[in-house]
Amino acid sequence: MKVLIAGFGTVGQGIAEVIGTRQSLFDAMGEKVSIVGAFDSSSLIYGDNLDPKYLVEKKKTTGKVGDKEIPDDVASYIEEADFDILLDTTPTNIDHAEPGLTYILSALHSGKHVITSNKGPLALKFSTLSAAADANGVQLKYEASVGGAMPIINLSKQLLAGENIISLRGILNGTCNFILNRMKEEGLPFYQALREAQDLGYAETDPTYDIDGVDSAAKVAILANAIFGMDVNYYDVVRSGIRNITEDAIALAAEENSVIRLIGEIGGGKLEVAPRLVPMGHPLSIGGTQNMANIITDLAGEITVSGRGAGKNETASAMLSDLISIIRNKE
Amino acid sequence: MKMKINVDLRLKDVPGQLVSALDPISSCGGNIRGVVHHHDVKDGGRIAVNVTFEASSDPVFHRILDEWEKRDVEVAKINSFIETYPIRYLLVGDISSAEMESVTRGLESIENVVSIDVRYTGAATSSSHTALITGTVSSQDTLKTLDDFFYERTQKKNYLLVRGLEL
């Protein structure tokens, strides 16, 4: 299998490294996986069997993954290049989903499988992308787009394939959970807890996507399509964030033996992201930066799954599982 | 308004009496939750049976009692209570005391609201207030009604709604 990596930031470097370290696994499956190209926002590199270590080192030392300039028409390059799987790790843009949307569609239309960690294209154009994959007889995989190392999509679609999933509630953004937990544990005002999250690298300089529930709403839209078979997008999700949560609110919740958590919910006619009062001891009352999903099915009842929601290795882990799935399906 | 009822019955010690005692519950639309048949406990020559069931209303329960009387089923003891559902809402933002009074009046006018408790806090130096509203309702449909009430109210008045996870 020849792979092309689109985007070479933290996530792109992580999956490149994992492909390098998991060669014995691929050998045992009778498949060779080689990186035949990678590009970031300004540069491109291609070759028969690129060394992941070299690519990561090059990016770290020069800020670019390749020596060649990225072509003006990246879509045409993706269509014409000789590879089997596009590993899309471009950043999420919830307004227009670009450039990931164009890259993914170009790969699918030219008969290449796609594994993506980018929420934007999935949250805005899920049905378009699924239809393109089906029409071209290729696979579109996206476990890394929701919850990092929390295996919610493949769990629901494969291990729970015979179940009717009635509802899902989850903590889908670790940054918000960290902030709310710090407010509760240390009595911090919201903006101080946010600053702490930024200092620790959990929150971006512009934290809007996290604290206004944008990131969680994109994930709710993806899960609604992927697990519940709905045809919805990000704008169908009713959304409110946590930036107006006060110390008083946290304290009053504690008097009720509860905590406030930003919860994504699908089911009962709801598609929603909102802060909720969660009883202490409930699975969704956890602190820290973990993601957690609590699903109710008709046969198995309540199932709770958790995992680290972000990070280089965690996202690479999810993309690796998708890569292995494609290799197995090929067999 | 759903009722949960626990009764101690005394049945004649002849075959078929238990089925005859339970039949009025199901035929009146009740939902049997538990039956304990005390074969070894006799009271005045009758066998003791404890039954727990749900009935949708007081008249339904009385229809069951009437039917038991017709069938010579003795009722030794009755414990009944109305099943309630907890509600919890937290409001955060520029909420005046007049607005809180209005919210409370609105809640009191909603059918099947059994109890309401309001805690209202605010800093003297800030316009931001927080209100925690807890209580119980006696109908599951009312949970949805309350949810809609608070959602519309917070949208209109532009403050933050934090709902309990019960809904």
Side-chain angles (χ1 to χ4, degrees):
Chain A
M1 287 277 193
K2 298 173 184 173
V3 304
L4 172 69
I5 302 176
F8 213 74
T10 304
V11 177
Q13 292 171 47
I15 187 61
E17 286 175 342
V18 163
I19 288 171
T21 58
R22 290 294 191 273
Q23 282 301 320
S24 57
L25 171 67
F26 301 136
D27 289 344
M29 297 175 74
E31 187 68 54
K32 181 173 174 54
V33 176
S34 56
I35 301 171
V36 297
F39 62 86
D40 53 27
S41 58
S42 63
S43 70
L44 164 74
I45 184 170
Y46 54 84
D48 286 342
N49 188 11
L50 299 170
D51 179 3
K53 283 184 186 165
Y54 168 79
L55 297 178
V56 172
E57 191 58 29
K58 167 97 174 152
K59 177 73 179 181
K60 281 182 178 160
T61 53
T62 68
K64 296 182 176 185
V65 68
D67 292 323
K68 296 180 171 45
E69 279 198 10
I70 190 169
D72 291 337
D73 188 354
V74 178
S76 296
Y77 172 76
I78 290 172
E79 285 173 11
E80 290 160 15
D82 177 22
F83 68 95
D84 304 298
I85 305 173
L86 177 71
L87 300 177
D88 169 43
T89 68
T90 53
T92 295
N93 184 308
I94 205 63
D95 294 324
H96 49 61
E98 296 295 359
L101 178 60
T102 297
Y103 298 169
I104 293 172
L105 282 172
S106 301
L108 296 173
H109 286 144
S110 54
K112 285 129 180 167
H113 305 295
V114 172
I115 298 169
T116 182
S117 60
N118 185 342
K119 290 178 283 294
L122 297 163
L124 292 176
K125 298 284 181 184
F126 193 96
S127 59
T128 303
L129 297 175
S130 295
D134 291 345
N136 291 283
V138 291
Q139 294 176 64
L140 169 65
K141 310 286 279 184
Y142 40 82
E143 181 68 59
S145 66
V146 178
M150 177 181 72
I152 181 66
I153 294 172
N154 290 334
L155 170 78
S156 304
K157 291 182 77 170
Q158 293 171 16
L159 301 181
L160 301 175
E163 299 268 356
N164 286 324
I165 298 179
I166 298 160
S167 65
L168 180 150
R169 285 169 162 170
I171 292 172
L172 304 174
N173 185 278
T175 305
C176 287
N177 217 49
F178 175 85
I179 292 169
L180 292 169
N181 198 50
R182 292 297 290 166
M183 290 177 74
K184 158 82 169 52
E185 294 301 318
E186 303 298 330
L188 300 178
F190 173 78
Y191 281 99
Q192 198 171 328
L194 170 61
R195 176 62 61 85
E196 199 174 282
Q198 287 170 321
D199 290 346
L200 289 168
Y202 296 144
E204 301 289 337
T205 312
D206 176 2
T208 306
Y209 272 25
D210 291 323
I211 65 175
D212 288 341
V214 174
D215 176 74
S216 295
K219 290 168 179 170
V220 163
I222 294 168
L223 291 172
N225 282 282
I227 297 177
F228 291 79
M230 297 178 182
D231 182 8
V232 295
N233 68 39
Y234 164 79
Y235 294 103
D236 294 314
V237 181
V238 175
R239 168 178 63 85
S240 56
I242 65 165
R243 71 164 73 224
N244 293 323
I245 298 289
T246 60
E247 301 106 286
D248 275 356
I250 298 280
L252 272 178
E255 284 180 22
E256 272 292 294
N257 205 29
S258 294
V259 292
I260 298 177
R261 294 287 179 259
L262 186 68
I263 302 293
E265 180 168 12
I266 306 166
K270 285 198 183 88
L271 273 183
E272 181 187 59
V273 170
R276 304 288 291 272
L277 279 171
V278 181
M280 287 179 199
H282 188 284
L284 296 178
S285 68
I286 54 158
T289 58
Q290 290 257 332
N291 280 203
M292 178 168 281
N294 184 247
I295 57 178
I296 307 289
T297 76
D298 61 341
L299 299 177
E302 185 174 347
I303 296 171
T304 302
V305 56
S306 70
R308 281 185 278 181
K312 183 169 83 167
N313 290 337
E314 293 78 3
T315 309
S317 163
M319 296 187 84
L320 175 66
S321 73
D322 283 344
L323 180 55
I324 290 170
S325 173
I326 288 176
I327 292 169
R328 284 184 177 150
N329 287 341
K330 182 188 167 199
E331 290 166 354
Chain B
M1 185 181 293
K2 193 189 283 182
M3 300 173 71
K4 189 175 267 185
I5 300 142
N6 181 272
V7 289
D8 282 336
L9 304 179
R10 299 290 181 264
L11 308 183
K12 286 188 284 186
D13 190 10
V14 294
Q17 288 302 295
L18 181 59
V19 172
S20 178
L22 297 181
D23 177 60
I25 299 175
S26 43
S27 63
C28 288
N31 180 28
I32 297 169
R33 301 297 294 266
V35 178
V36 182
H37 197 177
H38 299 285
H39 294 279
D40 50 345
V41 178
K42 290 202 176 176
D43 182 2
R46 289 177 172 247
I47 293 176
V49 174
N50 180 271
V51 183
T52 304
F53 63 98
E54 292 165 348
S56 58
S57 66
D58 204 41
V60 168
F61 176 45
H62 280 91
R63 282 214 305 277
I64 295 169
L65 288 176
D66 290 346
E67 192 59 34
W68 278 337
E69 191 176 354
K70 284 182 202 163
R71 296 180 183 212
D72 194 20
V73 172
E74 286 183 14
V75 180
K77 188 176 167 190
I78 300 171
N79 283 314
S80 71
F81 54 90
I82 297 165
E83 189 157 4
T84 58
Y85 306 90
I87 57 163
R88 299 190 308 159
Y89 295 93
L90 195 60
L91 313 178
V92 187
D94 188 2
I95 311 164
S96 65
S97 54
E99 166 64 6
M100 271 321 297
E101 282 175 27
S102 175
V103 166
T104 307
R105 277 198 305 276
L107 288 172
E108 286 168 347
S109 70
I110 295 174
E111 201 178 356
N112 296 322
V113 172
V114 175
S115 65
I116 305 171
D117 178 61
V118 179
R119 274 171 273 175
Y120 178 59
T121 69
T125 54
S126 163
S127 62
S128 182
H129 291 76
T130 308
L132 177 66
I133 297 152
T134 58
T136 55
V137 299
S138 60
S139 158
Q140 268 188 314
D141 291 342
T142 308
L143 297 174
K144 175 79 171 65
T145 305
L146 283 176
D147 211 16
D148 293 343
F149 169 82
F150 278 110
Y151 184 75
E152 284 167 21
R153 193 98 197 176
T154 52
Q155 290 293 304
K156 194 170 150 190
K157 301 285 182 175
N158 198 29
Y159 46 78
L160 178 68
L161 171 65
V162 181
R163 300 183 343 262
L165 202 63
E166 293 84 6
L167 272 175

